[in-house]
Amino acid sequence: MRIVLLGAPGSGKGTQSQRLVQHHGIPQISTGDLLRAARANGTPLGLRAQAAMDAGKLVDDEIVLGIIRERLAEPDAQRGFILDGFPRNIAQAQALDAMLRELGQPLDAVIEMQVEYDELTRRISGRRTCSDCDRVFNTFGGTAAQSGADLCPKTGAPHRLFQRPDDDEATVAQRLRVYEEKTRPLVEFYRSQGLLRSINAQGDVDAVTARLEAALARGKAPASSSAKVQVRKKAAAGKKVPAAKKAPPKRQAAAGKKAPSRKKAAARPKRPMAIRKARRKMAARKASRKPARKPARKPARGKARARRHR
C-alpha cells in the first residue's frame, strides 16, 4: 500500500499515519523527519539541506526528492509507505510521480482529510511537541502524555513538551492561506488521476481511523473510471468484426437469374401455393376416373307414335 495523506495543517495526518503504521506495518515517511535525520547524520543531502536552511532559503525539491528516494530504498519500505507532508504543490507532485514510476512504486491512493478551518485553528494552537523524541501531542486531545501515563521512548521519563513557533495561533491563518494557495490544487490533480479519496477527518479519532481504513479498502475513485473506459475503448477498437457468412452453394441463384432476397420470399402469401396443390389433386382424380356412358336419347313423341302405327 503506497499512499499520500493530504490535508491542511492540523487535519490529523500525523496521528492517522501512526495508526496506519501500527495496523499495516509500513513506514510513515515525513519529509520534516527525514530532513532532520539527514542533517543529524551529516549525509550529503542533509548537508545541502542544512546549508539552504542556514541561508534562510527553502530546501530545494531536488534535495527533498533525493532524501525520499534514499528512504524508499530501505527494506521496510518495500511493502509500501505513507507520505506525510509531501508533496505540497503541483510541481512536487509531478516530480514525485516521475520518481515513483522510475522506481516501479506508483501511488495506490491519496487520502484527503477534510476538516473545517475553525477546528483546524483550535487543533494547531493546541499542539505540543516533545523536545526529546519529536512526538506531537495536542492539549485538546486528552492524550496520555499530558496525564503522565505515557513516557518518552528516548529518555524513559515523561515527555518534555513545548509549542513550536509555527503552531502559535498568530501564524495559523497564514499557514492556512499558504495551504489554500499551494496545496489545495493537489486535490483536483489527484482526482484527475483517479487516486483521490476524501474522508471527514473531524470527530473521534477512532471514528476517523475507521473512515480512513474504509476508504483504503475501496477500489479506485470514480474519477479513475475514465482511464478504465479508455482502456475498454482501445480493446474494443482492436477487435475484428466477424465477416458476414456466405450463403451455401445450394442456395445460390441459378446462372443468369437473380435470387430473390429472403425478405421477399418471406413476404409471399401461402394461399396461392395451397390453391395450386388443390388443383393438381383434382386433376389427378379426374384422370383416374373412367368416362361415364352417355344415356340413350329418347325419340321425340311424334316419331314414337308413327312407329306404333306402322
Side-chain angles (χ1 to χ4, degrees):
M1 180 172 64
R2 299 177 292 272
I3 66 173
V4 167
L5 290 186
L6 184 63
S11 59
K13 299 188 298 297
T15 300
Q16 295 302 326
S17 292
Q18 289 300 315
R19 293 196 165 204
L20 290 176
V21 170
Q22 295 172 3
H23 294 170
H24 299 279
I26 57 177
Q28 174 198 12
I29 299 178
S30 169
T31 52
D33 294 342
L34 290 180
L35 286 171
R36 283 189 289 270
R39 293 199 310 268
N41 296 331
T43 65
L45 289 173
L47 294 176
R48 290 174 60 188
Q50 185 66 53
M53 296 176 71
D54 290 344
K57 300 178 181 179
L58 293 174
V59 179
D60 292 342
D61 292 345
E62 180 186 355
I63 296 174
V64 177
L65 286 168
I67 293 175
I68 293 175
R69 180 189 287 268
E70 290 179 349
R71 182 65 181 88
L72 295 181
E74 296 181 17
D76 65 336
Q78 300 311 302
R79 293 179 57 249
F81 53 82
I82 305 159
L83 276 175
D84 173 15
F86 191 89
R88 296 187 181 219
N89 54 53
I90 296 293
Q92 289 179 350
Q94 292 171 338
L96 176 66
D97 282 356
M99 185 189 74
L100 293 178
R101 282 197 303 269
E102 182 183 343
L103 296 175
Q105 295 178 306
L107 292 174
D108 294 319
V110 175
I111 305 297
E112 180 199 11
M113 303 183 67
Q114 299 176 334
V115 180
E116 293 180 0
Y117 274 21
D118 290 343
E119 175 65 12
L120 291 174
T121 302
R122 187 181 73 89
R123 288 184 183 184
I124 295 174
S125 61
R127 275 182 178 175
R128 299 295 183 272
T129 305
C130 177
S131 58
D132 297 313
C133 67
D134 293 328
R135 185 175 172 186
V136 178
F137 300 91
N138 198 293
T139 57
F140 297 108
T143 60
Q146 280 74 50
S147 65
D150 189 17
L151 300 178
C152 177
K154 279 196 172 183
T155 64
H159 294 277
R160 295 189 301 157
L161 302 179
F162 72 99
Q163 186 179 42
R164 296 186 307 177
D166 57 350
D167 288 338
D168 185 86
E169 189 171 354
T171 62
V172 172
Q174 176 60 25
R175 293 181 65 188
L176 293 179
R177 280 196 294 270
V178 172
Y179 174 80
E180 281 293 322
E181 180 183 350
K182 303 292 185 180
T183 310
R184 174 71 71 178
L186 290 177
V187 171
E188 292 304 322
F189 176 80
Y190 284 118
R191 193 195 306 277
S192 66
Q193 296 184 19
L195 293 172
L196 187 74
R197 306 174 198 179
S198 302
I199 65 168
N200 178 7
Q202 291 188 205
D204 181 71
V205 176
D206 291 336
V208 175
T209 302
R211 295 179 204 132
L212 175 57
E213 293 286 0
L216 291 173
R218 291 199 305 266
K220 291 188 176 181
S224 66
S225 60
S226 59
K228 292 183 179 179
V229 169
Q230 295 298 326
V231 172
R232 285 198 293 268
K233 285 182 178 179
K234 288 181 181 179
K239 290 182 180 178
K240 292 183 178 180
V241 179
K245 293 183 179 179
K246 293 182 179 180
K250 291 182 180 180
R251 295 185 181 179
Q252 294 289 344
K257 293 184 180 180
K258 193 173 182 180
S261 64
R262 290 185 181 180
K263 200 168 184 180
K264 291 182 179 179
R268 288 177 181 173
K270 294 183 179 180
R271 188 173 178 183
M273 179 63 72
I275 293 174
R276 287 196 295 272
K277 287 183 179 180
R279 287 178 177 175
R280 284 197 294 269
K281 287 182 181 179
M282 290 176 64
R285 286 176 185 173
K286 287 181 180 180
S288 62
R289 290 176 185 171
K290 292 182 180 181
R293 293 182 180 180
K294 295 183 180 181
R297 294 180 63 183
K298 292 181 180 181
R301 287 183 178 181
K303 291 182 179 181
R305 287 178 183 174
R307 286 176 188 155
R308 283 198 294 265
H309 288 293
R310 281 178 184 173

